[in-house]
Amino acid sequence: MRWEELDQQPCSLARTLAVIGDKWTLLVLRDCFLGVRRFDEFEKRLGITRHLLAGRLKKLVEHGVLAKVAYQQRPLREEYRLTPKGLDLHPTILTLVSWGDRYMADERGAPVLHLHKGCGQIMKPVVVCSECAEPVTARDVRVQAGAGWTVPGVLPLAVRGGTD
């Protein structure tokens, strides 16, 4: 499988990685969730070249993850805002951050804390079943081929055994 062909794979993760699967794109998304909207601010915070940043932002706009919105007319100046599709990535980003807090933080602990606005408490993301609201781990899930599975005669790996 070639990196440039990920979007053609019969796998939602591969197709997702084709859009958001490089380090700069994930850091751009992180900054979006922290309130960064303008090109120069992304460039300053990330230390990324203008060329690389422009490419990452263009791809996120093309895929509907971000939208360019004018904040000034003369001269025209635009900023990048998360779309509903982009906002749907928040649980993914939050889960990656939580993993990093657990396994990559130093002895001082997490560099950023996430507080739930509803109760005011420091929170960690939890994956739950959409049907029964029970917490879900890797061992609680099995997969089966869906309507979008297009590899005849080959079953998704977990159908054959999973994480056990």
Side-chain angles (χ1 to χ4, degrees):
M1 171 178 357
R2 292 186 156 165
W3 182 256
E4 61 273 3
E5 297 171 349
L6 281 180
D7 62 341
Q8 299 165 30
Q9 294 297 313
C11 170
S12 294
L13 179 59
R15 292 174 184 169
T16 300
L17 289 174
V19 178
I20 66 164
D22 72 80
K23 63 184 178 185
W24 291 118
T25 301
L26 288 171
L27 293 173
V28 165
L29 288 169
R30 175 206 60 193
D31 281 1
C32 287
F33 285 111
L34 293 174
V36 176
R37 294 181 177 163
R38 298 186 180 167
F39 188 95
D40 291 342
E41 193 173 354
F42 284 115
E43 183 181 30
K44 180 180 174 184
R45 286 177 55 94
L46 297 172
I48 185 175
T49 67
R50 293 182 72 79
H51 174 74
L52 277 174
L53 178 58
R56 296 322 186 267
L57 290 168
K58 180 180 179 187
K59 186 176 214 176
L60 291 169
V61 169
E62 286 173 353
H63 286 276
V65 174
L66 298 178
K68 287 172 76 170
V69 178
Y71 67 88
Q72 177 180 309
Q73 291 301 320
R74 291 194 179 144
L76 179 63
R77 300 219 185 256
E78 298 174 310
E79 61 186 16
Y80 296 88
R81 299 238 180 164
L82 288 158
T83 64
K85 187 175 182 178
L87 289 168
D88 279 348
L89 286 167
H90 188 256
T92 302
I93 299 297
L94 197 56
T95 301
L96 286 170
V97 169
S98 181
W99 185 90
D101 290 346
R102 183 170 181 179
Y103 296 107
M104 305 304 291
D106 63 22
E107 63 280 349
R108 294 172 293 174
V112 175
L113 303 176
H114 294 88
L115 284 77
H116 180 231
K117 289 180 181 179
C119 70
Q121 298 297 309
I122 296 170
M123 50 97 28
K124 293 183 178 155
V126 177
V127 177
V128 299
C129 173
S130 61
E131 303 306 309
C132 70
E134 293 269 330
V136 176
T137 68
R139 287 185 166 54
D140 299 322
V141 177
R142 70 178 174 83
V143 299
Q144 64 186 38
W149 185 255
T150 60
V151 184
V154 178
L155 293 175
L157 189 58
V159 171
R160 300 188 319 229
T163 60
D164 293 334

